[in-house]
Amino acid sequence: MPAGTAAPDRADPADRAVRAPRRTGSALTWLTPALLVLGLGLWGASLPLTDFRTMADYGLLDRLPPVFYASLAVLTAGFLVALRRAGTAPVWPSAYCAGLLVALKAGPAVLYDAVRYPWASKHDAVVTTLLGTGELRPHAALSGNMSAYDQWPGFFTLNAALVRAFGVESTAAYLNWAPIVLGLVLIPVLVLLYRTFTEDWRLVWTAVWIFQLANWVGQDYLAPQGLAYVLHLTVLAVVLRHFVRPGSAGRLRDRTALDPAAATVPPATTTRQRAVGVLVLSPLILAVNAIHQLTPVMLCVVLAALCLTRRYRNLGLLAVTGLIMLAWDLTMGRPLFLETLGTLKESLGRLTQNSRAGYAGQLTGPGPELAGRAAIAMALAVVLCAGIAVLVRRRLTRSALPLLLASAAPVPLFAVNDYGGEMLFRVYLFGLPGAAFFAAAALLPAAAGARRSHAARVRRRLAAVALPAVLLVLTAGFLPAYYGKDAMYYTPPAESALVTRAIDRIPEGGLLLATSGSFPQALHRYDRVEHWWFCEQELPENEKMLADPARYLADRLPPGTAAHVVLTRTQDVYTAGEGLLPPGGFALLRDRLKASPLFRVVEERPYGIVLAYTPPTTTPGGAS
């Protein structure tokens, strides 16, 4: 052996200590992509095994095979591995976040041979009508406030252009892929938002991961609010990064005063630079107003909350945003705006009523009840974790206070209106980005460079257990919250064809009756047919209606109206799940209408029945 060469078994301990992390890093290098490929491979293998056509009480939840759940466990494990090198290889956590999005929400897009979320078909109907007429009619008196879609037409004109560009028949060709597309677009927006307040890539990607798991709300389908939400967060991210007032940061530019994971406040901008920023953001703000009714209100509320801090007291931006919203509401959106103002007297201050979910607010059936409980548990878990971070990591809370304010700002809207039973979901969704950030902060120890005290070591050990545990719990909660009611979200194509035929039989100006509007093709020819969803009311009134449904409906029909009743399997599942009718109420309704001489069966199939109203004839002598 050459002189000066150490024997292999006598290597210096310090050298071994240096080489060990390299071997670990090498293992992580191949393990990270391997787990991603394995997780997505298991998800792909689960698709042929998913029998979605036989969904029952628990929706898609009990139709998903074990291999699907294994794929989520593998993706979670791989994400935790990738998180260890998030600062040097952020591409892998981002790939895992995209993979999680696909695994959680792409299944229906691949499997279903019909539109998921029956009410999404009304947006397809609006686009189809817009292409057919070639004009907007914001002041037309259309049944069911459908003219509101012409008053906020941005989303529909965009999709009309996409239908023409893709050469497809309608938006139904890509409708089920909207959650994936919007989710992928949202990831970089969230990253930009979170990087404003932290330099720790682990915290950024964990917050994105938690956001996706907690986003069970189902507002990312092909609808105006999904696109407006992305634009809203884009505006917020730009404001938080480029609208800092000079001299407002104080000690938040001093690293010694910050949480180890916190980022210093972005560079201040001059009055002129902020004025230019307002001009740059104005088209985005205008687009938000052209797309959706509620999102501009949320944006104004969030900007007003930011004005409570010296850092983002930009009254000019708030004024411009409010003026754009007011200008739109008083011109294009004037009819619905005035109607909404007229209802504020009844809804103002009714916190309990405004925070209800849906029409009845009482889910029934195993699947819907489990979905409701899981959703509440998920929201409480995220809020609890976020609250822990606000209390424990106070220096991070101080630097990220604008994000905390922006997330809490929509809560007071409960005192204003119920937004058709959806205010609860919208407030949760708009508060979720900040809640996910602080929840991630509660689960992660301080970034490298923190004090190596005994307490810090304990926190790191707790985080090593808490982080995977909480992520798995959130994953377990997402599945029933998102898929537990899919029996009412999926409609066989034959049922949709029945509805289309039924509406095509109704003469122009005729009336379509159904228990609710939550079934595909419900708004086919909405500009030529009136609609009455006669069970979208409180349960006591529906119980009264069931005593004699034929007479109840006949007494409320305008004289001379050509009215058809369409009752389908999807309506049966929906009215039961949402608590609109008592158990067995839908079957009772169908049988009593079918037996009544006031209604004639036009078409009956296993998945639905169509009846025509046949008013009693009156003889010249007055007898009927």
mmCIF file of all heavy atoms in Angstrom, residues 32-46 67-68 70-76 96 99 103:
data_model
loop_
_atom_site.group_PDB
_atom_site.id
_atom_site.type_symbol
_atom_site.label_atom_id
_atom_site.label_comp_id
_atom_site.label_asym_id
_atom_site.label_seq_id
_atom_site.Cartn_x
_atom_site.Cartn_y
_atom_site.Cartn_z
ATOM 1 N N THR A 32 -37.223 10.117 -5.818
ATOM 2 C CA THR A 32 -38.244 11.142 -6.068
ATOM 3 C C THR A 32 -39.000 10.905 -7.372
ATOM 4 O O THR A 32 -40.230 10.815 -7.370
ATOM 5 C CB THR A 32 -37.612 12.543 -6.050
ATOM 6 O OG1 THR A 32 -36.962 12.744 -4.797
ATOM 7 C CG2 THR A 32 -38.649 13.616 -6.265
ATOM 8 N N PRO A 33 -38.319 10.785 -8.522
ATOM 9 C CA PRO A 33 -39.083 10.522 -9.758
ATOM 10 C C PRO A 33 -39.707 9.139 -9.783
ATOM 11 O O PRO A 33 -40.773 8.947 -10.373
ATOM 12 C CB PRO A 33 -38.034 10.684 -10.864
ATOM 13 C CG PRO A 33 -36.724 10.472 -10.188
ATOM 14 C CD PRO A 33 -36.883 10.978 -8.800
ATOM 15 N N ALA A 34 -39.060 8.162 -9.103
ATOM 16 C CA ALA A 34 -39.615 6.804 -9.117
ATOM 17 C C ALA A 34 -40.969 6.758 -8.437
ATOM 18 O O ALA A 34 -41.915 6.127 -8.935
ATOM 19 C CB ALA A 34 -38.630 5.844 -8.440
ATOM 20 N N LEU A 35 -41.102 7.423 -7.290
ATOM 21 C CA LEU A 35 -42.376 7.426 -6.582
ATOM 22 C C LEU A 35 -43.445 8.193 -7.363
ATOM 23 O O LEU A 35 -44.633 7.840 -7.321
ATOM 24 C CB LEU A 35 -42.203 8.032 -5.189
ATOM 25 C CG LEU A 35 -41.424 7.173 -4.178
ATOM 26 C CD1 LEU A 35 -41.205 7.923 -2.880
ATOM 27 C CD2 LEU A 35 -42.154 5.856 -3.917
ATOM 28 N N LEU A 36 -43.040 9.241 -8.069
ATOM 29 C CA LEU A 36 -43.995 9.992 -8.884
ATOM 30 C C LEU A 36 -44.548 9.118 -10.003
ATOM 31 O O LEU A 36 -45.773 9.068 -10.228
ATOM 32 C CB LEU A 36 -43.338 11.245 -9.454
ATOM 33 C CG LEU A 36 -44.212 12.115 -10.362
ATOM 34 C CD1 LEU A 36 -45.414 12.660 -9.602
ATOM 35 C CD2 LEU A 36 -43.390 13.269 -10.949
ATOM 36 N N VAL A 37 -43.658 8.432 -10.692
ATOM 37 C CA VAL A 37 -44.085 7.543 -11.782
ATOM 38 C C VAL A 37 -44.954 6.414 -11.235
ATOM 39 O O VAL A 37 -45.994 6.066 -11.815
ATOM 40 C CB VAL A 37 -42.860 6.983 -12.530
ATOM 41 C CG1 VAL A 37 -43.288 5.915 -13.528
ATOM 42 C CG2 VAL A 37 -42.117 8.104 -13.237
ATOM 43 N N LEU A 38 -44.544 5.846 -10.087
ATOM 44 C CA LEU A 38 -45.318 4.765 -9.493
ATOM 45 C C LEU A 38 -46.705 5.251 -9.063
ATOM 46 O O LEU A 38 -47.724 4.579 -9.320
ATOM 47 C CB LEU A 38 -44.574 4.202 -8.287
ATOM 48 C CG LEU A 38 -45.301 3.101 -7.491
ATOM 49 C CD1 LEU A 38 -45.592 1.895 -8.382
ATOM 50 C CD2 LEU A 38 -44.489 2.684 -6.269
ATOM 51 N N GLY A 39 -46.769 6.417 -8.423
ATOM 52 C CA GLY A 39 -48.050 6.939 -7.974
ATOM 53 C C GLY A 39 -49.008 7.188 -9.117
ATOM 54 O O GLY A 39 -50.181 6.789 -9.072
ATOM 55 N N LEU A 40 -48.513 7.842 -10.172
ATOM 56 C CA LEU A 40 -49.382 8.104 -11.321
ATOM 57 C C LEU A 40 -49.713 6.818 -12.068
ATOM 58 O O LEU A 40 -50.810 6.688 -12.639
ATOM 59 C CB LEU A 40 -48.700 9.108 -12.253
ATOM 60 C CG LEU A 40 -48.573 10.533 -11.704
ATOM 61 C CD1 LEU A 40 -47.838 11.434 -12.686
ATOM 62 C CD2 LEU A 40 -49.949 11.122 -11.382
ATOM 63 N N GLY A 41 -48.778 5.863 -12.069
ATOM 64 C CA GLY A 41 -49.064 4.579 -12.705
ATOM 65 C C GLY A 41 -50.175 3.834 -11.988
ATOM 66 O O GLY A 41 -51.065 3.250 -12.620
ATOM 67 N N LEU A 42 -50.132 3.843 -10.657
ATOM 68 C CA LEU A 42 -51.209 3.213 -9.886
ATOM 69 C C LEU A 42 -52.540 3.911 -10.128
ATOM 70 O O LEU A 42 -53.590 3.250 -10.228
ATOM 71 C CB LEU A 42 -50.859 3.240 -8.395
ATOM 72 C CG LEU A 42 -49.703 2.338 -7.945
ATOM 73 C CD1 LEU A 42 -49.357 2.606 -6.493
ATOM 74 C CD2 LEU A 42 -50.056 0.868 -8.149
ATOM 75 N N TRP A 43 -52.501 5.248 -10.215
ATOM 76 C CA TRP A 43 -53.743 5.982 -10.501
ATOM 77 C C TRP A 43 -54.298 5.576 -11.869
ATOM 78 O O TRP A 43 -55.500 5.319 -12.009
ATOM 79 C CB TRP A 43 -53.481 7.482 -10.469
ATOM 80 C CG TRP A 43 -54.652 8.280 -10.931
ATOM 81 C CD1 TRP A 43 -55.780 8.571 -10.224
ATOM 82 C CD2 TRP A 43 -54.844 8.863 -12.235
ATOM 83 N NE1 TRP A 43 -56.655 9.307 -11.000
ATOM 84 C CE2 TRP A 43 -56.104 9.502 -12.230
ATOM 85 C CE3 TRP A 43 -54.065 8.913 -13.384
ATOM 86 C CZ2 TRP A 43 -56.593 10.178 -13.351
ATOM 87 C CZ3 TRP A 43 -54.549 9.587 -14.498
ATOM 88 C CH2 TRP A 43 -55.810 10.209 -14.472
ATOM 89 N N GLY A 44 -53.420 5.506 -12.873
ATOM 90 C CA GLY A 44 -53.874 5.093 -14.194
ATOM 91 C C GLY A 44 -54.446 3.688 -14.191
ATOM 92 O O GLY A 44 -55.449 3.398 -14.863
ATOM 93 N N ALA A 45 -53.832 2.788 -13.398
ATOM 94 C CA ALA A 45 -54.325 1.413 -13.317
ATOM 95 C C ALA A 45 -55.673 1.335 -12.623
ATOM 96 O O ALA A 45 -56.434 0.372 -12.839
ATOM 97 C CB ALA A 45 -53.298 0.549 -12.586
ATOM 98 N N SER A 46 -55.989 2.322 -11.792
ATOM 99 C CA SER A 46 -57.262 2.291 -11.065
ATOM 100 C C SER A 46 -58.449 2.663 -11.943
ATOM 101 O O SER A 46 -59.592 2.309 -11.614
ATOM 102 C CB SER A 46 -57.200 3.247 -9.865
ATOM 103 O OG SER A 46 -57.240 4.609 -10.299
ATOM 104 N N VAL A 67 -56.381 0.262 -5.359
ATOM 105 C CA VAL A 67 -55.171 0.757 -6.024
ATOM 106 C C VAL A 67 -55.216 2.276 -6.165
ATOM 107 O O VAL A 67 -54.171 2.939 -6.188
ATOM 108 C CB VAL A 67 -54.996 0.060 -7.396
ATOM 109 C CG1 VAL A 67 -56.073 0.499 -8.380
ATOM 110 C CG2 VAL A 67 -53.610 0.335 -7.963
ATOM 111 N N PHE A 68 -56.401 2.858 -6.232
ATOM 112 C CA PHE A 68 -56.507 4.317 -6.294
ATOM 113 C C PHE A 68 -56.028 4.942 -4.991
ATOM 114 O O PHE A 68 -55.263 5.911 -4.997
ATOM 115 C CB PHE A 68 -57.960 4.732 -6.564
ATOM 116 C CG PHE A 68 -58.207 6.210 -6.430
ATOM 117 C CD1 PHE A 68 -57.892 7.073 -7.466
ATOM 118 C CD2 PHE A 68 -58.740 6.746 -5.272
ATOM 119 C CE1 PHE A 68 -58.103 8.440 -7.349
ATOM 120 C CE2 PHE A 68 -58.963 8.102 -5.143
ATOM 121 C CZ PHE A 68 -58.635 8.956 -6.184
ATOM 122 N N ALA A 70 -54.022 3.595 -2.903
ATOM 123 C CA ALA A 70 -52.580 3.362 -2.833
ATOM 124 C C ALA A 70 -51.813 4.416 -3.626
ATOM 125 O O ALA A 70 -50.733 4.856 -3.218
ATOM 126 C CB ALA A 70 -52.253 1.965 -3.359
ATOM 127 N N SER A 71 -52.378 4.846 -4.756
ATOM 128 C CA SER A 71 -51.697 5.861 -5.567
ATOM 129 C C SER A 71 -51.568 7.174 -4.803
ATOM 130 O O SER A 71 -50.525 7.839 -4.872
ATOM 131 C CB SER A 71 -52.457 6.086 -6.875
ATOM 132 O OG SER A 71 -53.682 6.785 -6.660
ATOM 133 N N LEU A 72 -52.601 7.550 -4.050
ATOM 134 C CA LEU A 72 -52.531 8.786 -3.266
ATOM 135 C C LEU A 72 -51.513 8.672 -2.141
ATOM 136 O O LEU A 72 -50.800 9.633 -1.832
ATOM 137 C CB LEU A 72 -53.912 9.123 -2.703
ATOM 138 C CG LEU A 72 -55.007 9.448 -3.728
ATOM 139 C CD1 LEU A 72 -56.310 9.782 -3.008
ATOM 140 C CD2 LEU A 72 -54.594 10.596 -4.629
ATOM 141 N N ALA A 73 -51.426 7.482 -1.523
ATOM 142 C CA ALA A 73 -50.435 7.276 -0.465
ATOM 143 C C ALA A 73 -49.019 7.364 -1.031
ATOM 144 O O ALA A 73 -48.122 7.977 -0.409
ATOM 145 C CB ALA A 73 -50.659 5.921 0.201
ATOM 146 N N VAL A 74 -48.800 6.792 -2.192
ATOM 147 C CA VAL A 74 -47.463 6.838 -2.815
ATOM 148 C C VAL A 74 -47.111 8.271 -3.211
ATOM 149 O O VAL A 74 -45.972 8.723 -3.005
ATOM 150 C CB VAL A 74 -47.414 5.898 -4.038
ATOM 151 C CG1 VAL A 74 -46.119 6.111 -4.825
ATOM 152 C CG2 VAL A 74 -47.522 4.450 -3.598
ATOM 153 N N LEU A 75 -48.069 8.998 -3.777
ATOM 154 C CA LEU A 75 -47.797 10.391 -4.152
ATOM 155 C C LEU A 75 -47.485 11.230 -2.916
ATOM 156 O O LEU A 75 -46.599 12.098 -2.962
ATOM 157 C CB LEU A 75 -48.999 10.974 -4.891
ATOM 158 C CG LEU A 75 -49.214 10.480 -6.325
ATOM 159 C CD1 LEU A 75 -50.522 11.024 -6.889
ATOM 160 C CD2 LEU A 75 -48.051 10.895 -7.220
ATOM 161 N N THR A 76 -48.190 10.991 -1.823
ATOM 162 C CA THR A 76 -47.903 11.730 -0.587
ATOM 163 C C THR A 76 -46.507 11.418 -0.081
ATOM 164 O O THR A 76 -45.759 12.329 0.317
ATOM 165 C CB THR A 76 -48.947 11.387 0.490
ATOM 166 O OG1 THR A 76 -50.257 11.691 -0.004
ATOM 167 C CG2 THR A 76 -48.701 12.186 1.763
ATOM 168 N N TYR A 96 -45.050 16.987 -8.303
ATOM 169 C CA TYR A 96 -45.938 16.230 -7.419
ATOM 170 C C TYR A 96 -47.262 16.950 -7.206
ATOM 171 O O TYR A 96 -48.329 16.318 -7.137
ATOM 172 C CB TYR A 96 -45.252 15.972 -6.079
ATOM 173 C CG TYR A 96 -44.461 14.681 -6.061
ATOM 174 C CD1 TYR A 96 -43.101 14.682 -6.326
ATOM 175 C CD2 TYR A 96 -45.082 13.467 -5.798
ATOM 176 C CE1 TYR A 96 -42.373 13.497 -6.322
ATOM 177 C CE2 TYR A 96 -44.365 12.283 -5.796
ATOM 178 C CZ TYR A 96 -43.013 12.295 -6.065
ATOM 179 O OH TYR A 96 -42.305 11.123 -6.064
ATOM 180 N N GLY A 99 -49.197 16.296 -10.163
ATOM 181 C CA GLY A 99 -49.635 14.908 -10.133
ATOM 182 C C GLY A 99 -50.789 14.692 -9.168
ATOM 183 O O GLY A 99 -51.721 13.941 -9.460
ATOM 184 N N ALA A 103 -54.486 13.219 -9.956
ATOM 185 C CA ALA A 103 -55.011 12.053 -9.255
ATOM 186 C C ALA A 103 -56.316 12.367 -8.539
ATOM 187 O O ALA A 103 -57.224 11.521 -8.480
ATOM 188 C CB ALA A 103 -53.971 11.535 -8.260
#
